[in-house]
Amino acid sequence: MFILKFLLRRLFQGAIIVFIVSAVIFTLLRVVPGDPVRLMAGGMAPEALIEQIAEEMGLRDPIPVQFTRYMGGVVQGDFGQSFVRPKNGASVGGTSFDDTTRGERAQVLDLIAETAPMTIQLALLSMVFALIIAIPIGVAGGLAPGRWPDRVALYLSSIFVSLPNFWLGIVLALLLSVKLQLLPAIGYQGFAYTLLPAFVLAIEMAPFIIRTLTVSVAGVMSENFIDIARVRGLSRNRIVFHHGMKNAAVPLLNLLGVQFSVLLGGVLVVEFIFDYPGLGLLTINAVMQRDFPLIQGIAIITAAAFVVINIVVDLAATTIDPRLDY
């Protein structure tokens, strides 16, 4: 019964969040300068043709009318068609002359479905790398507060957080891909192309995981039940890994949920640097081309994913620590 009430409440709250995000993005796209129809028709198109296309697409209707019509389609699973991308997924001018689909516009959901698995793969791998880097450092620092492992954790966190991801990405690409030729860097032709961008993202996430673990483990190890476990004669490894880590996992779990949601939204800079075909690169191209339906679709899907991930994280946290009340 608790889980049912929890899910209903959180899903209702999530639906409100997604609706607000949709309304804000939809409105902002239509009040900022620039006309997407001009990009679609070409810079030399006469003004009469521009207005005719805009009227046919409903872009000259009042914003509330456009939004109501759009959300009516979203509720039915129709996120619309891209303004500029043909059905084969190419950008404007990127399709061959004899392509029979060049006059058909791509469905937004199809474009998102093609790139989302790439971003999910990148997000999962980067989190694995971040945990491999951060867990030993963070746990060691939390078990020795005020001593050299804690200081090492602090220094490494400071170094990692000070490295701009665009600079680190360029340096690693030049070193490991261009000079040493150990890993591919640009585009995607296999899993190996995910390693470098995932490592860059892992370095960006690692300091937050390190500090969260350091503080959380140090706090848990100072609790009374840890002292009682020592008095009962439990081994240090059992105390640390069975009692300490279990209770310290809740803050880490919440942090990982937020980080994973951010990664699913598309890491714009990293995907752009490595020309990685994920949601981030798709978002950049959509913004540059003023592709309203694609931008809106990405925003809605990302917001919905954020809501679902946070619900799952909260359920997992209450399973670990039943005292928590969400």
Side-chain angles (χ1 to χ4, degrees):
M1 183 60 69
F2 163 75
I3 294 179
L4 180 59
K5 290 182 178 179
F6 171 82
L7 288 176
L8 290 176
R9 184 176 74 253
R10 293 300 298 272
L11 287 174
F12 177 73
Q13 295 171 350
I16 295 176
I17 293 174
V18 172
F19 179 81
I20 293 175
V21 169
S22 304
V24 171
I25 295 295
F26 192 94
T27 303
L28 288 177
L29 287 174
R30 280 153 179 78
V31 297
V32 295
D35 190 351
V37 181
R38 176 68 64 180
L39 292 176
M40 296 168 59
M44 301 299 293
E47 194 64 32
L49 178 61
I50 297 295
E51 289 299 320
Q52 178 184 347
I53 296 175
E55 289 288 345
E56 292 175 354
M57 297 179 65
L59 295 177
R60 295 297 184 259
D61 295 336
I63 293 178
V65 175
Q66 294 184 52
F67 181 68
T68 302
R69 183 169 57 238
Y70 175 74
M71 290 305 296
V74 169
V75 172
Q76 300 176 33
D78 180 11
F79 285 74
Q81 295 178 324
S82 168
F83 280 173
V84 298
R85 288 176 176 262
K87 195 172 183 179
N88 61 9
S91 299
V92 175
T95 184
S96 60
F97 179 78
D98 58 351
D99 188 351
T100 58
T101 66
R102 65 201 304 261
E104 302 177 30
R105 290 183 291 147
Q107 294 291 329
V108 168
L109 274 183
D110 292 341
L111 293 173
I112 295 176
E114 291 173 4
T115 54
M118 305 297 297
T119 295
I120 293 174
Q121 175 179 281
L122 177 61
L124 290 174
L125 186 60
S126 61
M127 293 197 72
V128 170
F129 285 166
L131 290 173
I132 291 174
I133 296 170
I135 286 179
I137 300 172
V139 172
L143 293 176
R147 290 183 283 172
W148 69 266
D150 187 20
R151 290 194 291 272
V152 169
L154 177 61
Y155 296 151
L156 288 177
S157 298
S158 301
I159 293 173
F160 289 162
V161 81
S162 301
L163 295 175
N165 56 10
F166 65 87
W167 176 86
L168 182 61
I170 294 172
V171 170
L172 290 179
L174 290 174
L175 177 63
L176 298 180
S177 182
V178 176
K179 186 169 184 176
L180 300 179
Q181 297 184 352
L182 295 177
L183 291 171
I186 305 301
Y188 185 86
Q189 298 180 24
F191 181 76
Y193 286 79
T194 312
L195 297 177
L196 268 182
F199 184 75
V200 172
L201 292 173
I203 294 298
E204 186 177 358
M205 288 189 295
F208 303 102
I209 300 176
I210 290 173
R211 294 314 301 165
T212 298
L213 272 177
T214 301
V215 173
S216 182
V217 170
V220 170
M221 295 304 292
S222 64
E223 294 286 346
N224 291 332
F225 70 87
I226 297 295
D227 296 330
I228 295 174
R230 293 193 183 101
V231 171
R232 291 175 57 193
L234 297 181
S235 66
R236 177 174 173 80
N237 287 339
R238 182 173 175 80
I239 293 173
V240 171
F241 293 103
H242 183 72
H243 297 284
M245 291 300 298
K246 179 181 178 181
N247 288 275
V250 174
L252 176 62
L253 189 62
N254 290 326
L255 175 65
L256 292 179
V258 173
Q259 293 286 351
F260 190 65
S261 300
V262 172
L263 291 174
L264 286 187
V267 188
L268 306 183
V269 175
V270 172
E271 290 191 6
F272 182 76
I273 289 174
F274 291 98
D275 195 29
Y276 188 83
L279 282 175
L281 188 60
L282 184 67
T283 302
I284 291 175
N285 291 331
V287 171
M288 293 176 63
Q289 297 166 347
R290 296 190 61 78
D291 195 344
F292 289 175
L294 186 52
I295 299 172
Q296 293 157 190
I298 294 173
I300 292 175
I301 296 296
T302 302
F306 185 88
V307 169
V308 172
I309 290 171
N310 277 275
I311 292 175
V312 173
V313 167
D314 290 345
L315 282 175
T318 55
T319 302
I320 295 174
D321 188 351
R323 296 172 300 174
L324 297 174
D325 183 14
Y326 290 100

